[in-house]
Structure formats: C-alpha cells, structure tokens
Amino acid sequence: MSQIGQRASAFAPASSGNVSVGFDLLGAALLRIDGGELGDRVNVEFAEQDELKNSGEYAHVCPDDAEQNLAWQAYRLFRSKLANESFPKVKMELVKSLPVGSGLGSSACSVVASLTALNRLFGHYFSDNDMLLMMGEIEAAASGDLHYDNVAPSYFGGLQLMSPSTDEPVLDLPIPDQWYVVVAFPSFAFPTKQAREVLPKQYDKHDVIANAQNLSVFITQLFKGQQVKAA
Ligand SMILES: Nc1ncnc2c1ncn2[C@@H]1O[C@H](COP(=O)(O)OP(=O)(O)OP(=O)(O)O)[C@@H](O)[C@H]1O
Ligand SMILES: N[C@@H](CCO)C(=O)O
C-alpha cells in the first residue's frame, strides 16, 4: 500500500546521440572517467500535494513555469497512464546538474531520471518498453521529432542501437574496453529543435546507401571485436 512520505530516487547519465554513423540510431551513455556523476537526479515522494522543486548547479536554467519543465511533463504523462488513480500526489525534486541545450542529452536526463524515480515509487508499474515509449514521447514534444538516441542510453546505459521492432526497440551493442569519449560542448545553448529544422527532409539515394553501408560495417566490426576498423 502506498504511503505518504514513501520515497524513491533515480539518477540518469548524460548521453551522446548520433554516435559515429548512427544519426538518430546510435546513442551512448557517458560516464565520467573519475566515476563522478554526470547527469540529473530526481527524488520523488508521495505527498498531500503535487509539487516540483528544482535544485542543483543548473536549477536556474530550468523553466520558471513547472508545466514547461520536462521533469514535470514526465510526471504528468506518467500519471495519465496509470489505471489506478487512487495513488497519492507526488512531491518531486529535480537536481539539475547538466547545462541545457549542450548536446549532452540534458533533456533526456531529466525525463529518464523522473520517469525512473516515479516508476520505482509506484512499485515498477510500467515495463521497460512502456517507459521507453513515454520517454520518447516527451523528447519528441521537446525536440519536434521522435528520436530515442539520448533517452535509450540514458535509461539502459552503454551503447544502444535503435531498432524498428516494437518488441525489442533497442539493442545493446558491445563497446570496446579501450574506447574513451572526449566531450566538447559549447558555452551557449543550441536547441535540438532548431538544429533539426535546418536538416533536409529528403536525402539522395547514394547517400542513403553509403550511410547504410557505414552503419552496417560499424556494427559488424564492433561484434567482431575490431575496434580500429569500427572506429
Ligand atoms: N528539465 C529540463 N532539462 C532540460 N531541458 C529542459 C528541461 N525542462 C525544459 N527543458 C527545455 O527543453 C529544451 C531542451 O533542449 P535540447 O533538447 O536542445 O537540450 P539538450 O537535451 O541539452 O540537447 P541534446 O538533446 O542535443 O543533447 C530546452 O528548450 C529547455 O528549456
Ligand atoms: N539524434 C538527435 C540527438 C540530439 O538530441 C538529433 O540529432 O537531433
């Protein structure tokens, strides 16, 4: 039985989408070399009233209006999907540690940490696939287009390949132990939505074939353990 004051929390790591040749298809979770946290944390608690509080280094970049905050939108969506409406309300704290619009999957971090913390609080009500669909829905609303290459690695960890199968929407890829990622990000925000708007709507057949070849070779070499050829 759910109790007022019952708590849960979750951390979601930063991620890099578009890894190598996988535009919208390959995403990797990022772990700091010193083991420190690089990502957002969300604490949730059953309470008398719904409430969102932002804290952490980048709390000031979160929208003032809670309804605009993706963490809160995650809660709204989660709540709307619950069949049992008798659950108590939720007090939520978003510990925002990633800059926004930086290309580090900041929006995905807040969405993944929020939904994961909520699912823990609500006794793992939703399956991983349900969770991923909800994560994609919120990311799509924020970025103007459905893409899972930040939410999937932030949720599952590692290097993830997006699959068209609804039964198995992501596939975990082997990552060579010797690979490290150097991350550079700008000191200004560049919204994903804006960046996607300038992309062509259609692509040349030769480019599509070349991309399919490059992606296939990348995956094949990873599974063969040929890290140099994959890179
Ligand atoms: N909790 C939140 N965390 C991050 N962004 C948020 C949050 N709430 C609302 N937003 C809004 O969502 C948008 C996120 O932008 P964008 O997707 O470009 O950021 P990003 O996740 O850092 O980038 P990328 O997906 O390229 O790594 C911004 O307009 C931001 O104001
Ligand atoms: N694949 C996404 C990653 C950034 O969210 C894009 O390029 O828009």
Side-chain angles (χ1 to χ4, degrees), residues 114-155:
S114 300
L115 289 176
T116 307
L118 287 163
N119 209 32
R120 286 179 182 159
L121 185 67
F122 284 76
H124 298 275
Y125 194 93
F126 295 109
S127 68
D128 282 345
N129 276 9
D130 292 338
M131 292 281 281
L132 195 64
L133 288 177
M134 281 192 269
M135 289 165 186
E137 192 174 330
I138 303 164
E139 266 280 77
S143 70
D145 220 349
L146 182 59
H147 62 93
Y148 288 99
D149 52 335
N150 286 117
V151 287
S154 190
Y155 186 51

mmCIF file of all heavy atoms in Angstrom, residues 114-155:
data_model
loop_
_atom_site.group_PDB
_atom_site.id
_atom_site.type_symbol
_atom_site.label_atom_id
_atom_site.label_comp_id
_atom_site.label_asym_id
_atom_site.label_seq_id
_atom_site.Cartn_x
_atom_site.Cartn_y
_atom_site.Cartn_z
ATOM 1 N N SER A 114 13.328 11.294 -14.053
ATOM 2 C CA SER A 114 11.981 11.496 -13.488
ATOM 3 C C SER A 114 11.145 10.229 -13.610
ATOM 4 O O SER A 114 10.562 9.754 -12.626
ATOM 5 C CB SER A 114 11.245 12.623 -14.231
ATOM 6 O OG SER A 114 11.961 13.811 -14.110
ATOM 7 N N LEU A 115 11.074 9.684 -14.811
ATOM 8 C CA LEU A 115 10.221 8.505 -15.011
ATOM 9 C C LEU A 115 10.741 7.297 -14.230
ATOM 10 O O LEU A 115 9.967 6.507 -13.693
ATOM 11 C CB LEU A 115 10.095 8.184 -16.497
ATOM 12 C CG LEU A 115 9.248 9.181 -17.306
ATOM 13 C CD1 LEU A 115 9.266 8.845 -18.794
ATOM 14 C CD2 LEU A 115 7.805 9.214 -16.814
ATOM 15 N N THR A 116 12.064 7.171 -14.150
ATOM 16 C CA THR A 116 12.631 6.035 -13.409
ATOM 17 C C THR A 116 12.324 6.158 -11.918
ATOM 18 O O THR A 116 11.918 5.181 -11.267
ATOM 19 C CB THR A 116 14.159 5.956 -13.644
ATOM 20 O OG1 THR A 116 14.401 5.939 -15.046
ATOM 21 C CG2 THR A 116 14.761 4.717 -13.017
ATOM 22 N N ALA A 117 12.497 7.357 -11.388
ATOM 23 C CA ALA A 117 12.205 7.556 -9.965
ATOM 24 C C ALA A 117 10.718 7.299 -9.705
ATOM 25 O O ALA A 117 10.343 6.631 -8.731
ATOM 26 C CB ALA A 117 12.588 8.971 -9.544
ATOM 27 N N LEU A 118 9.866 7.802 -10.599
ATOM 28 C CA LEU A 118 8.418 7.608 -10.419
ATOM 29 C C LEU A 118 8.048 6.125 -10.495
ATOM 30 O O LEU A 118 7.261 5.619 -9.697
ATOM 31 C CB LEU A 118 7.651 8.394 -11.489
ATOM 32 C CG LEU A 118 7.633 9.912 -11.280
ATOM 33 C CD1 LEU A 118 7.241 10.637 -12.564
ATOM 34 C CD2 LEU A 118 6.686 10.300 -10.143
ATOM 35 N N ASN A 119 8.643 5.439 -11.445
ATOM 36 C CA ASN A 119 8.310 4.011 -11.591
ATOM 37 C C ASN A 119 8.740 3.222 -10.352
ATOM 38 O O ASN A 119 8.067 2.291 -9.938
ATOM 39 C CB ASN A 119 8.963 3.451 -12.862
ATOM 40 C CG ASN A 119 8.153 2.310 -13.449
ATOM 41 O OD1 ASN A 119 6.927 2.284 -13.345
ATOM 42 N ND2 ASN A 119 8.829 1.356 -14.063
ATOM 43 N N ARG A 120 9.865 3.636 -9.754
ATOM 44 C CA ARG A 120 10.287 2.978 -8.503
ATOM 45 C C ARG A 120 9.282 3.272 -7.396
ATOM 46 O O ARG A 120 8.892 2.382 -6.635
ATOM 47 C CB ARG A 120 11.677 3.487 -8.095
ATOM 48 C CG ARG A 120 12.756 2.904 -8.980
ATOM 49 C CD ARG A 120 14.145 3.398 -8.634
ATOM 50 N NE ARG A 120 15.094 2.813 -9.580
ATOM 51 C CZ ARG A 120 16.295 3.286 -9.849
ATOM 52 N NH1 ARG A 120 16.740 4.366 -9.225
ATOM 53 N NH2 ARG A 120 17.061 2.684 -10.722
ATOM 54 N N LEU A 121 8.860 4.538 -7.324
ATOM 55 C CA LEU A 121 7.906 4.920 -6.268
ATOM 56 C C LEU A 121 6.584 4.178 -6.431
ATOM 57 O O LEU A 121 5.955 3.789 -5.458
ATOM 58 C CB LEU A 121 7.678 6.442 -6.328
ATOM 59 C CG LEU A 121 6.810 7.038 -5.230
ATOM 60 C CD1 LEU A 121 7.509 6.936 -3.870
ATOM 61 C CD2 LEU A 121 6.468 8.505 -5.506
ATOM 62 N N PHE A 122 6.186 3.996 -7.673
ATOM 63 C CA PHE A 122 4.900 3.348 -7.952
ATOM 64 C C PHE A 122 5.052 1.834 -8.144
ATOM 65 O O PHE A 122 4.262 1.197 -8.858
ATOM 66 C CB PHE A 122 4.248 3.988 -9.193
ATOM 67 C CG PHE A 122 3.637 5.345 -8.929
ATOM 68 C CD1 PHE A 122 4.439 6.478 -8.803
ATOM 69 C CD2 PHE A 122 2.277 5.495 -8.798
ATOM 70 C CE1 PHE A 122 3.889 7.728 -8.555
ATOM 71 C CE2 PHE A 122 1.703 6.745 -8.553
ATOM 72 C CZ PHE A 122 2.520 7.862 -8.426
ATOM 73 N N GLY A 123 6.058 1.268 -7.512
ATOM 74 C CA GLY A 123 6.188 -0.196 -7.487
ATOM 75 C C GLY A 123 6.431 -0.819 -8.850
ATOM 76 O O GLY A 123 5.906 -1.886 -9.134
ATOM 77 N N HIS A 124 7.222 -0.156 -9.692
ATOM 78 C CA HIS A 124 7.563 -0.678 -11.035
ATOM 79 C C HIS A 124 6.292 -1.015 -11.832
ATOM 80 O O HIS A 124 6.130 -2.110 -12.356
ATOM 81 C CB HIS A 124 8.514 -1.884 -10.931
ATOM 82 C CG HIS A 124 9.805 -1.513 -10.290
ATOM 83 N ND1 HIS A 124 10.851 -0.972 -10.986
ATOM 84 C CD2 HIS A 124 10.198 -1.544 -8.999
ATOM 85 C CE1 HIS A 124 11.848 -0.699 -10.157
ATOM 86 N NE2 HIS A 124 11.473 -1.032 -8.947
ATOM 87 N N TYR A 125 5.436 -0.050 -11.876
ATOM 88 C CA TYR A 125 4.131 -0.179 -12.531
ATOM 89 C C TYR A 125 4.298 -0.443 -14.029
ATOM 90 O O TYR A 125 3.548 -1.216 -14.615
ATOM 91 C CB TYR A 125 3.388 1.140 -12.299
ATOM 92 C CG TYR A 125 1.923 1.122 -12.594
ATOM 93 C CD1 TYR A 125 0.997 0.854 -11.585
ATOM 94 C CD2 TYR A 125 1.452 1.402 -13.870
ATOM 95 C CE1 TYR A 125 -0.364 0.857 -11.849
ATOM 96 C CE2 TYR A 125 0.095 1.398 -14.141
ATOM 97 C CZ TYR A 125 -0.800 1.125 -13.128
ATOM 98 O OH TYR A 125 -2.134 1.123 -13.397
ATOM 99 N N PHE A 126 5.269 0.225 -14.652
ATOM 100 C CA PHE A 126 5.437 0.115 -16.110
ATOM 101 C C PHE A 126 6.659 -0.726 -16.478
ATOM 102 O O PHE A 126 7.670 -0.723 -15.766
ATOM 103 C CB PHE A 126 5.589 1.507 -16.741
ATOM 104 C CG PHE A 126 4.348 2.353 -16.598
ATOM 105 C CD1 PHE A 126 4.329 3.441 -15.738
ATOM 106 C CD2 PHE A 126 3.194 2.049 -17.301
ATOM 107 C CE1 PHE A 126 3.183 4.216 -15.592
ATOM 108 C CE2 PHE A 126 2.035 2.817 -17.167
ATOM 109 C CZ PHE A 126 2.037 3.899 -16.312
ATOM 110 N N SER A 127 6.552 -1.401 -17.632
ATOM 111 C CA SER A 127 7.677 -2.197 -18.146
ATOM 112 C C SER A 127 8.724 -1.257 -18.779
ATOM 113 O O SER A 127 8.433 -0.085 -19.042
ATOM 114 C CB SER A 127 7.172 -3.161 -19.224
ATOM 115 O OG SER A 127 6.763 -2.397 -20.364
ATOM 116 N N ASP A 128 9.890 -1.797 -19.061
ATOM 117 C CA ASP A 128 10.939 -1.002 -19.711
ATOM 118 C C ASP A 128 10.454 -0.448 -21.056
ATOM 119 O O ASP A 128 10.748 0.696 -21.412
ATOM 120 C CB ASP A 128 12.192 -1.855 -19.946
ATOM 121 C CG ASP A 128 13.013 -2.020 -18.675
ATOM 122 O OD1 ASP A 128 12.777 -1.270 -17.706
ATOM 123 O OD2 ASP A 128 13.882 -2.905 -18.649
ATOM 124 N N ASN A 129 9.720 -1.266 -21.808
ATOM 125 C CA ASN A 129 9.233 -0.794 -23.115
ATOM 126 C C ASN A 129 8.229 0.343 -22.964
ATOM 127 O O ASN A 129 8.274 1.321 -23.713
ATOM 128 C CB ASN A 129 8.596 -1.945 -23.911
ATOM 129 C CG ASN A 129 9.649 -2.743 -24.662
ATOM 130 O OD1 ASN A 129 10.841 -2.543 -24.467
ATOM 131 N ND2 ASN A 129 9.203 -3.650 -25.508
ATOM 132 N N ASP A 130 7.325 0.201 -21.985
ATOM 133 C CA ASP A 130 6.362 1.293 -21.725
ATOM 134 C C ASP A 130 7.117 2.569 -21.360
ATOM 135 O O ASP A 130 6.777 3.668 -21.805
ATOM 136 C CB ASP A 130 5.445 0.960 -20.529
ATOM 137 C CG ASP A 130 4.502 -0.187 -20.828
ATOM 138 O OD1 ASP A 130 4.238 -0.446 -22.013
ATOM 139 O OD2 ASP A 130 4.036 -0.826 -19.861
ATOM 140 N N MET A 131 8.136 2.385 -20.531
ATOM 141 C CA MET A 131 8.917 3.543 -20.065
ATOM 142 C C MET A 131 9.601 4.226 -21.241
ATOM 143 O O MET A 131 9.582 5.446 -21.378
ATOM 144 C CB MET A 131 9.978 3.077 -19.054
ATOM 145 C CG MET A 131 9.391 2.580 -17.760
ATOM 146 S SD MET A 131 8.907 3.927 -16.689
ATOM 147 C CE MET A 131 10.507 4.378 -16.025
ATOM 148 N N LEU A 132 10.190 3.404 -22.119
ATOM 149 C CA LEU A 132 10.905 3.973 -23.263
ATOM 150 C C LEU A 132 9.947 4.754 -24.171
ATOM 151 O O LEU A 132 10.287 5.841 -24.657
ATOM 152 C CB LEU A 132 11.585 2.836 -24.042
ATOM 153 C CG LEU A 132 12.655 3.270 -25.031
ATOM 154 C CD1 LEU A 132 13.827 3.931 -24.328
ATOM 155 C CD2 LEU A 132 13.147 2.064 -25.826
ATOM 156 N N LEU A 133 8.762 4.205 -24.374
ATOM 157 C CA LEU A 133 7.771 4.907 -25.211
ATOM 158 C C LEU A 133 7.405 6.261 -24.605
ATOM 159 O O LEU A 133 7.310 7.266 -25.317
ATOM 160 C CB LEU A 133 6.509 4.052 -25.385
ATOM 161 C CG LEU A 133 6.653 2.831 -26.288
ATOM 162 C CD1 LEU A 133 5.357 2.038 -26.314
ATOM 163 C CD2 LEU A 133 7.046 3.232 -27.712
ATOM 164 N N MET A 134 7.214 6.284 -23.293
ATOM 165 C CA MET A 134 6.886 7.563 -22.639
ATOM 166 C C MET A 134 8.056 8.545 -22.762
ATOM 167 O O MET A 134 7.857 9.729 -23.027
ATOM 168 C CB MET A 134 6.574 7.333 -21.155
ATOM 169 C CG MET A 134 5.204 6.804 -20.889
ATOM 170 S SD MET A 134 4.804 6.908 -19.125
ATOM 171 C CE MET A 134 5.369 5.323 -18.566
ATOM 172 N N MET A 135 9.256 8.040 -22.589
ATOM 173 C CA MET A 135 10.446 8.907 -22.686
ATOM 174 C C MET A 135 10.534 9.524 -24.078
ATOM 175 O O MET A 135 10.794 10.711 -24.243
ATOM 176 C CB MET A 135 11.721 8.106 -22.391
ATOM 177 C CG MET A 135 11.843 7.721 -20.933
ATOM 178 S SD MET A 135 13.079 6.428 -20.671
ATOM 179 C CE MET A 135 12.828 6.103 -18.928
ATOM 180 N N GLY A 136 10.296 8.668 -25.095
ATOM 181 C CA GLY A 136 10.349 9.147 -26.479
ATOM 182 C C GLY A 136 9.284 10.201 -26.734
ATOM 183 O O GLY A 136 9.537 11.200 -27.415
ATOM 184 N N GLU A 137 8.116 9.981 -26.167
ATOM 185 C CA GLU A 137 7.004 10.924 -26.384
ATOM 186 C C GLU A 137 7.355 12.322 -25.853
ATOM 187 O O GLU A 137 7.098 13.331 -26.512
ATOM 188 C CB GLU A 137 5.763 10.363 -25.663
ATOM 189 C CG GLU A 137 4.487 11.055 -26.033
ATOM 190 C CD GLU A 137 3.263 10.368 -25.400
ATOM 191 O OE1 GLU A 137 3.271 9.134 -25.174
ATOM 192 O OE2 GLU A 137 2.290 11.094 -25.143
ATOM 193 N N ILE A 138 7.982 12.363 -24.691
ATOM 194 C CA ILE A 138 8.317 13.673 -24.108
ATOM 195 C C ILE A 138 9.480 14.315 -24.873
ATOM 196 O O ILE A 138 9.464 15.514 -25.166
ATOM 197 C CB ILE A 138 8.650 13.533 -22.603
ATOM 198 C CG1 ILE A 138 7.458 12.901 -21.895
ATOM 199 C CG2 ILE A 138 8.951 14.890 -21.988
ATOM 200 C CD1 ILE A 138 7.780 12.370 -20.531
ATOM 201 N N GLU A 139 10.483 13.516 -25.219
ATOM 202 C CA GLU A 139 11.607 14.041 -26.011
ATOM 203 C C GLU A 139 11.107 14.594 -27.349
ATOM 204 O O GLU A 139 11.567 15.632 -27.814
ATOM 205 C CB GLU A 139 12.615 12.908 -26.292
ATOM 206 C CG GLU A 139 13.752 12.813 -25.318
ATOM 207 C CD GLU A 139 14.868 13.811 -25.554
ATOM 208 O OE1 GLU A 139 14.704 14.997 -25.202
ATOM 209 O OE2 GLU A 139 15.901 13.407 -26.085
ATOM 210 N N ALA A 140 10.157 13.865 -27.957
ATOM 211 C CA ALA A 140 9.643 14.294 -29.263
ATOM 212 C C ALA A 140 8.941 15.643 -29.141
ATOM 213 O O ALA A 140 9.103 16.521 -29.994
ATOM 214 C CB ALA A 140 8.682 13.244 -29.819
ATOM 215 N N ALA A 141 8.198 15.813 -28.064
ATOM 216 C CA ALA A 141 7.493 17.083 -27.880
ATOM 217 C C ALA A 141 8.505 18.220 -27.686
ATOM 218 O O ALA A 141 8.307 19.334 -28.180
ATOM 219 C CB ALA A 141 6.556 16.983 -26.691
ATOM 220 N N ALA A 142 9.623 17.923 -27.008
ATOM 221 C CA ALA A 142 10.616 18.966 -26.741
ATOM 222 C C ALA A 142 11.456 19.283 -27.974
ATOM 223 O O ALA A 142 11.824 20.437 -28.205
ATOM 224 C CB ALA A 142 11.529 18.533 -25.591
ATOM 225 N N SER A 143 11.749 18.266 -28.778
ATOM 226 C CA SER A 143 12.694 18.487 -29.885
ATOM 227 C C SER A 143 12.003 18.556 -31.247
ATOM 228 O O SER A 143 12.650 18.795 -32.254
ATOM 229 C CB SER A 143 13.741 17.373 -29.911
ATOM 230 O OG SER A 143 13.129 16.161 -30.315
ATOM 231 N N GLY A 144 10.698 18.304 -31.270
ATOM 232 C CA GLY A 144 9.964 18.426 -32.526
ATOM 233 C C GLY A 144 10.000 17.181 -33.376
ATOM 234 O O GLY A 144 9.433 17.160 -34.470
ATOM 235 N N ASP A 145 10.636 16.124 -32.894
ATOM 236 C CA ASP A 145 10.787 14.912 -33.705
ATOM 237 C C ASP A 145 11.082 13.733 -32.781
ATOM 238 O O ASP A 145 11.798 13.896 -31.798
ATOM 239 C CB ASP A 145 11.999 15.105 -34.618
ATOM 240 C CG ASP A 145 11.748 14.552 -35.999
ATOM 241 O OD1 ASP A 145 10.753 13.847 -36.189
ATOM 242 O OD2 ASP A 145 12.575 14.836 -36.892
ATOM 243 N N LEU A 146 10.546 12.560 -33.129
ATOM 244 C CA LEU A 146 10.763 11.392 -32.272
ATOM 245 C C LEU A 146 12.159 10.818 -32.498
ATOM 246 O O LEU A 146 12.517 10.462 -33.616
ATOM 247 C CB LEU A 146 9.709 10.322 -32.582
ATOM 248 C CG LEU A 146 9.751 9.046 -31.754
ATOM 249 C CD1 LEU A 146 9.586 9.339 -30.265
ATOM 250 C CD2 LEU A 146 8.689 8.067 -32.222
ATOM 251 N N HIS A 147 12.946 10.768 -31.465
ATOM 252 C CA HIS A 147 14.255 10.098 -31.548
ATOM 253 C C HIS A 147 14.621 9.588 -30.152
ATOM 254 O O HIS A 147 14.356 10.244 -29.152
ATOM 255 C CB HIS A 147 15.338 11.036 -32.101
ATOM 256 C CG HIS A 147 15.578 12.241 -31.241
ATOM 257 N ND1 HIS A 147 16.540 12.286 -30.272
ATOM 258 C CD2 HIS A 147 14.958 13.420 -31.183
ATOM 259 C CE1 HIS A 147 16.506 13.450 -29.665
ATOM 260 N NE2 HIS A 147 15.543 14.164 -30.190
ATOM 261 N N TYR A 148 15.186 8.387 -30.126
ATOM 262 C CA TYR A 148 15.430 7.714 -28.841
ATOM 263 C C TYR A 148 16.922 7.667 -28.486
ATOM 264 O O TYR A 148 17.285 7.025 -27.520
ATOM 265 C CB TYR A 148 14.925 6.266 -28.922
ATOM 266 C CG TYR A 148 13.418 6.133 -28.940
ATOM 267 C CD1 TYR A 148 12.726 5.951 -30.126
ATOM 268 C CD2 TYR A 148 12.688 6.166 -27.751
ATOM 269 C CE1 TYR A 148 11.339 5.803 -30.144
ATOM 270 C CE2 TYR A 148 11.306 6.022 -27.749
ATOM 271 C CZ TYR A 148 10.637 5.841 -28.951
ATOM 272 O OH TYR A 148 9.271 5.702 -28.947
ATOM 273 N N ASP A 149 17.769 8.292 -29.308
ATOM 274 C CA ASP A 149 19.203 8.031 -29.112
ATOM 275 C C ASP A 149 19.814 8.749 -27.914
ATOM 276 O O ASP A 149 21.003 8.535 -27.621
ATOM 277 C CB ASP A 149 20.014 8.269 -30.397
ATOM 278 C CG ASP A 149 19.792 9.613 -31.037
ATOM 279 O OD1 ASP A 149 18.724 10.211 -30.835
ATOM 280 O OD2 ASP A 149 20.698 10.062 -31.770
ATOM 281 N N ASN A 150 19.053 9.564 -27.180
ATOM 282 C CA ASN A 150 19.519 10.055 -25.882
ATOM 283 C C ASN A 150 18.800 9.334 -24.736
ATOM 284 O O ASN A 150 19.445 8.902 -23.778
ATOM 285 C CB ASN A 150 19.300 11.571 -25.728
ATOM 286 C CG ASN A 150 20.271 12.396 -26.540
ATOM 287 O OD1 ASN A 150 19.878 13.130 -27.444
ATOM 288 N ND2 ASN A 150 21.558 12.261 -26.255
ATOM 289 N N VAL A 151 17.476 9.210 -24.849
ATOM 290 C CA VAL A 151 16.753 8.584 -23.728
ATOM 291 C C VAL A 151 17.133 7.110 -23.551
ATOM 292 O O VAL A 151 17.274 6.633 -22.424
ATOM 293 C CB VAL A 151 15.209 8.731 -23.841
ATOM 294 C CG1 VAL A 151 14.768 10.151 -23.557
ATOM 295 C CG2 VAL A 151 14.653 8.230 -25.146
ATOM 296 N N ALA A 152 17.315 6.383 -24.659
ATOM 297 C CA ALA A 152 17.597 4.941 -24.541
ATOM 298 C C ALA A 152 18.923 4.675 -23.817
ATOM 299 O O ALA A 152 18.947 3.913 -22.843
ATOM 300 C CB ALA A 152 17.556 4.263 -25.906
ATOM 301 N N PRO A 153 20.043 5.304 -24.233
ATOM 302 C CA PRO A 153 21.282 5.032 -23.474
ATOM 303 C C PRO A 153 21.231 5.597 -22.057
ATOM 304 O O PRO A 153 21.792 5.006 -21.133
ATOM 305 C CB PRO A 153 22.381 5.715 -24.302
ATOM 306 C CG PRO A 153 21.679 6.676 -25.193
ATOM 307 C CD PRO A 153 20.309 6.122 -25.427
ATOM 308 N N SER A 154 20.532 6.718 -21.878
ATOM 309 C CA SER A 154 20.447 7.280 -20.535
ATOM 310 C C SER A 154 19.671 6.321 -19.620
ATOM 311 O O SER A 154 19.959 6.208 -18.431
ATOM 312 C CB SER A 154 19.750 8.645 -20.601
ATOM 313 O OG SER A 154 19.852 9.313 -19.385
ATOM 314 N N TYR A 155 18.713 5.605 -20.177
ATOM 315 C CA TYR A 155 17.914 4.658 -19.376
ATOM 316 C C TYR A 155 18.615 3.312 -19.218
ATOM 317 O O TYR A 155 18.718 2.775 -18.116
ATOM 318 C CB TYR A 155 16.550 4.482 -20.051
ATOM 319 C CG TYR A 155 15.561 3.638 -19.272
ATOM 320 C CD1 TYR A 155 15.281 3.902 -17.929
ATOM 321 C CD2 TYR A 155 14.891 2.583 -19.874
ATOM 322 C CE1 TYR A 155 14.363 3.142 -17.217
ATOM 323 C CE2 TYR A 155 13.960 1.816 -19.165
ATOM 324 C CZ TYR A 155 13.713 2.103 -17.829
ATOM 325 O OH TYR A 155 12.809 1.352 -17.122
#
